[in-house]
Amino acid sequence: MQPLRGRHVLLGISAGIAAYKAAELARLLVREGAEVQAVMTRSAAEFIAPMTLQALTGRPVRDSLFDPQHEAAMGHIELARWADVVVIAPATADVIAQLAAGSAPDLLSTLCLATEAPVLVAPAMNQAMWRHPATQANIGVLAGRGVDILGPGDGEQACGDTGPGRMLEPTVILAAIEQRFVQGRLIGKRVVVTAGPTREAIDPVRFVANRSSGKMGFALASVLAAEGAEVVLVAGPVALSTPRGVKRIDVENALQMHRAVFDALAGCDLFVACAAVADFRPVDVAERKIKKTDEVVTLQLKRNPDILADVAARPDRPFCVGFAAETHDLEDYAESKRRAKGLDMIAANLVGASQGFETDDNALLVIWEGGKVALPTQNKSQLAVELVKLIADRFDAQTATQDS
Ligand code: CTP
């Protein structure tokens, strides 16, 4: 997913101490394939050298309405049309006031008036300035006009105060800009995904677990996010990095996973249960490490709640997708599991010596009410793309039936 590839980003920088963070934002934007034109207010140069931005973006910084050389190459109206998005980071109280008033005393404010592209503003100022009724009124005006107000964050400020007014981190601003360009079938949908194994403690150092690597669940979360969904990934202990644009909640055992899923369920449209949840947990967890004094130790286990079945049993249930890992009779077992748990769809795979767990490839038999598709052996990332297509198809079909 590189939604910013080839996009024209006009990066406005005004005179705040947070201007140094604009350099990092420019670097991230360029890394994501965007073409970046930095536009600085006159006093912004007191905080960051235009040469820094020029080096990072590969374009001379623009800072004047009346620069004959620049205006001849690309006039300010042309520049306003060139932009696919305008981002002002940092945006001082003064720039915000200019935008709210519609005044155009310099190049940046003029471009904001002349552009039809979306405008995103990342305020950065002293906490008292941010709280001032004038600033708050201006922010209200901009928000009412559809300007995206990013932040500000709360915390320690350069002036020694503590409170709201810190510019958001460049990575957070980048994600907000990307969100503007994400195209996909699941925009506006909320999805909860479980992934990985769970670990059920026996004593402080030992646990019962399984071979799940979490790769399939993480690949699904990544593709769902690329399709525009807001994804919460509840992950057991795995050695994987969080997919871009996904909110990750780490858990250790089945009870924690159950709680985390139910906490994330409000407004959820789709639930994809990919985790290999331990079916049982030790009845007693020893507080101290169990010593090897006895020849035979008996471990008593009790059933864990079935997260997927519990979600599917809710009256306001989302569209539920489950997984089934079987060693034989794949279709029969998977279909009876789908019915028993009341699922909208089940993706079944054979597990054995060389398949399923801990591998990069997999094959799936996907079954829903009245239909099935076999997805052949392929890389889990590619398989996730195919499965998400099927999920989106069935989800759309179901939503259409409910609406009619
Ligand atoms: N699942 C769950 N909570 C559990 C157990 C399983 O959410 N406590 C979900 C898994 O994420 C998966 C599906 O249910 O989507 C698997 O169902 P399950 O009946 O556990 O399948 P198997 O583990 O294959 O069952 P069995 O051992 O009975 O074959």
Side-chain angles (χ1 to χ4, degrees), residues 171-191:
T171 49
V172 179
I173 298 174
L174 175 75
I177 303 167
E178 280 183 330
Q179 205 51 42
R180 280 275 176 176
F181 294 102
V182 168
Q183 290 167 334
R185 297 181 64 183
L186 296 170
I187 289 172
K189 301 288 176 253
R190 291 203 63 218
V191 186

Side-chain angles (χ1 to χ4, degrees), residues 13-15 39-48 50 62-67 105-108:
I13 302 163
S14 58
V39 175
M40 290 170 67
T41 61
R42 282 267 181 224
S43 1
E46 303 289 335
F47 292 89
I48 184 165
R62 301 279 302 258
D63 63 0
S64 167
L65 258 175
F66 308 107
D67 178 331
D106 63 4
L107 179 62
L108 181 58

Side-chain angles (χ1 to χ4, degrees), residues 77-326:
I77 297 297
E78 250 178 292
L79 185 54
R81 289 195 191 120
W82 172 89
D84 293 316
V85 64
V86 176
V87 185
I88 308 181
T92 57
D94 184 38
V95 162
I96 290 168
Q98 286 168 22
L99 262 53
S103 70
D106 63 4
L107 179 62
L108 181 58
S109 49
T110 304
L111 290 169
C112 288
L113 213 49
T115 191
E116 289 180 12
V119 177
L120 285 73
V121 164
M125 65 195 75
N126 163 269
Q127 54 82 24
M129 292 170 81
W130 170 253
R131 290 190 220 263
H132 195 284
T135 305
Q136 287 304 306
N138 290 334
I139 286 289
V141 167
L142 294 186
R145 267 185 219 147
V147 172
D148 260 4
I149 312 295
L150 312 176
D154 221 301
E156 223 173 273
Q157 302 202 300
C159 54
D161 281 5
T162 303
R166 285 168 60 95
M167 188 173 100
L168 294 184
E169 290 307 314
T171 49
V172 179
I173 298 174
L174 175 75
I177 303 167
E178 280 183 330
Q179 205 51 42
R180 280 275 176 176
F181 294 102
V182 168
Q183 290 167 334
R185 297 181 64 183
L186 296 170
I187 289 172
K189 301 288 176 253
R190 291 203 63 218
V191 186
V192 177
V193 180
T194 64
T198 63
R199 282 181 185 170
E200 311 298 325
I202 298 170
D203 69 12
V205 295
R206 303 182 180 93
F207 52 78
V208 181
N210 59 64
R211 291 181 185 281
S212 169
S213 65
K215 281 181 187 162
M216 191 68 218
F218 273 58
L220 281 167
S222 166
V223 177
L224 288 160
E227 284 293 343
E230 191 188 318
V231 181
V232 176
L233 174 62
V234 182
V238 293
L240 296 171
S241 51
T242 310
R244 168 80 64 93
V246 166
K247 181 179 174 199
R248 172 173 176 173
I249 299 168
D250 285 316
V251 296
E252 178 108 355
N253 60 41
L255 292 179
Q256 290 168 352
M257 186 174 274
H258 192 279
R259 203 170 311 126
V261 166
F262 274 74
D263 285 349
L265 222 49
C268 170
D269 300 286
L270 282 155
F271 178 54
V272 182
C274 201
V277 185
D279 290 321
F280 299 95
R281 67 179 183 280
V283 172
D284 297 309
V285 181
E287 270 178 32
R288 295 175 172 195
K289 187 180 166 198
I290 299 168
K291 287 290 178 193
K292 52 177 182 298
T293 41
D294 300 326
E295 276 307 311
V296 176
V297 175
T298 307
L299 198 59
Q300 242 203 327
L301 302 171
K302 66 177 166 198
R303 277 286 280 274
N304 269 327
D306 190 316
I307 304 167
L308 177 56
D310 287 354
V311 171
R314 279 168 65 110
D316 59 343
R317 49 172 276 160
F319 184 96
C320 289
V321 182
F323 279 75
E326 311 290 347

